Amino acid sequence: MSQIQPLPENLQKVAIEELGEVPSRLYDDLQALELWIKQQPHLRARTDHQLLVQFLRGCKFSLQRAKEKLESYYSLKSKYPELQNPTDVDAPQLRNVFQMGCIVPLPRPLNDCGPRIMLYRYNYPVDKFSIQDVILLDVLLHDILLIDDPYACIYGVIYLVDLSSFSAGHILQFSPSVLKKSLTYMENSLPLRVKAMGLINMPTFAEQFCNLFISFLSKKLRERVFFCSKKLEHLSDKIPLKNLPVDYGGENGRLEEICSDYTHIWDKYRLYFEENLQYGVDEHLRPAKSVNDGMYGMGGTFRKIDVD
């Protein structure tokens, strides 16, 4: 159990009461999941307890659901590495997109003890970067959350999407296929609870696109989407203004400084992501009894996993 970072008392209480964690049984649960991984001929997955415990917590300690999410996680990374399997934290495109503040995990969680807030901005030049660059960064940041952020792991994540710089050029980079792949990865593979998704500063021309985006979400997630006008004080019912960055009139860090300070995170996890090259799914070794799902080319039947 030394591989698992101990939770602060307040987070441990939430893990027990809301996620069904039983500390005295945790080692046995992890051993059961690790044994299952080793028995799968087609699956090469990390068995680090710090990662595995989040799949258990994110699935409220349903071993079957944890298996399904874990296999979907690695299957989609193998099938779509250009979108979902970042392995080089020093890749110039990735670093540049991050330094522009396209996706920024804000330093303090909601009200200092709640879900992690992730800010998204489509402020990149479309002639130099693509939405694939942004999605790959998004996956990398979420992978870090899974092993390094107890607030995201226990309380979940709030997504705040600022569309003030969104343009027709950005829309043209999206396709229904890219949308579906990225949202399927988020809903079916990531063991993180999505608490809310806010769209702010949405230009009129983007309304149809946003409706398409929302249509790809599960019913539970659609119910957690909210819109806000340019008057950010209207956000206060969902996200008090103090939780926003200084750039938005809040007290939760300056975007430029947050991005600059993230250098130590890249250094800390450089080897971790390089090692990810050896993990994934080999479809040729998948047991014959598995059933192809007809969309992603991966075997196995993955029932719909509700978002908690």
Side-chain angles (χ1 to χ4, degrees):
M1 298 300 293
S2 61
Q3 295 174 303
I4 298 178
Q5 300 171 8
L7 293 173
E9 184 177 349
N10 59 327
L11 294 183
Q12 184 66 73
K13 184 173 185 290
V14 175
I16 293 170
E17 295 179 354
E18 296 187 17
L19 306 183
E21 183 168 320
V22 180
S24 62
R25 201 180 65 203
L26 188 55
Y27 180 76
D28 291 337
D29 291 336
L30 286 165
Q31 288 292 97
L33 186 55
E34 183 177 350
L35 177 61
W36 173 81
I37 290 171
K38 292 177 178 178
Q39 292 173 337
Q40 308 310 303
H42 62 295
L43 179 61
R44 303 183 308 277
R46 285 184 175 274
T47 54
D48 315 35
H49 283 186
Q50 189 62 50
L51 177 64
L52 296 188
V53 73
Q54 184 50 34
F55 278 88
L56 291 171
R57 286 169 174 162
C59 296
K60 293 191 173 181
F61 283 83
S62 164
L63 184 59
Q64 182 59 31
R65 290 176 65 192
K67 292 175 182 178
E68 292 169 351
K69 278 213 169 188
L70 187 67
E71 183 156 8
S72 177
Y73 177 82
Y74 282 107
S75 293
L76 292 175
K77 282 181 178 293
S78 293
K79 184 65 177 177
Y80 302 111
E82 74 284 356
L83 279 178
Q84 296 164 357
N85 194 25
T87 57
D88 181 7
V89 301
D90 297 310
Q93 291 290 93
L94 184 149
R95 285 292 193 106
N96 289 333
V97 169
F98 182 74
Q99 285 304 129
M100 284 186 287
C102 291
I103 307 175
V104 185
L106 300 187
R108 296 202 310 273
L110 184 69
N111 298 323
D112 295 320
C113 187
R116 179 64 59 192
I117 304 170
M118 298 279 285
L119 175 66
Y120 290 70
R121 303 188 301 165
Y122 292 92
N123 59 340
Y124 64 90
V126 295
D127 59 333
K128 295 182 179 179
F129 303 94
S130 71
I131 189 59
Q132 283 87 347
D133 296 323
V134 177
I135 292 173
L136 197 64
L137 172 64
D138 188 37
V139 171
L140 185 148
L141 291 172
H142 277 85
D143 281 352
I144 292 175
L145 293 184
L146 292 179
I147 56 175
D148 197 54
D149 188 344
Y151 289 95
C153 289
I154 302 301
Y155 281 106
V157 183
I158 291 176
Y159 299 101
L160 187 61
V161 185
D162 182 358
L163 294 168
S164 58
S165 299
F166 201 53
S167 69
H170 292 108
I171 291 178
L172 290 174
Q173 291 189 345
F174 282 92
S175 69
S177 175
V178 167
L179 273 175
K180 184 65 175 177
K181 290 171 187 175
S182 59
L183 292 176
T184 297
Y185 180 80
M186 181 182 76
E187 288 201 56
N188 290 1
S189 301
L190 286 177
L192 294 170
R193 295 194 287 173
V194 180
K195 305 304 291 185
M197 183 180 298
L199 304 179
I200 65 174
N201 299 324
M202 183 172 65
T204 303
F205 72 84
E207 290 180 2
Q208 187 173 355
F209 171 80
C210 289
N211 288 333
L212 174 65
F213 167 82
I214 293 170
S215 72
F216 280 112
L217 300 176
S218 66
K219 182 176 183 294
K220 278 193 175 182
L221 269 188
R222 287 198 299 270
E223 292 172 349
R224 296 178 187 183
V225 175
F226 65 91
F227 299 87
C228 179
S229 69
K230 293 185 178 181
K231 296 182 179 181
L232 291 181
E233 59 266 25
H234 294 166
L235 267 177
S236 59
D237 289 342
K238 302 286 185 179
I239 306 175
L241 284 180
K242 69 176 184 178
N243 292 279
L244 300 182
V246 173
D247 314 60
Y248 287 73
E251 305 170 8
N252 204 353
R254 295 183 184 275
L255 295 179
E256 184 177 358
E257 293 175 0
I258 296 170
C259 293
S260 178
D261 291 345
Y262 228 75
T263 299
H264 76 281
I265 295 292
W266 303 136
D267 292 341
K268 180 178 180 180
Y269 288 106
R270 180 176 289 106
L271 180 59
Y272 180 91
F273 284 98
E274 289 176 359
E275 291 174 347
N276 280 347
L277 283 167
Q278 63 188 287
Y279 301 111
V281 166
D282 185 340
E283 295 298 341
H284 296 95
L285 298 178
R286 187 184 290 275
K289 64 180 180 180
S290 296
V291 179
N292 191 290
D293 72 354
M295 178 178 177
Y296 292 100
M298 61 185 180
T301 52
F302 297 97
R303 63 180 172 82
K304 181 68 175 180
I305 299 174
D306 290 333
V307 180
D308 295 316

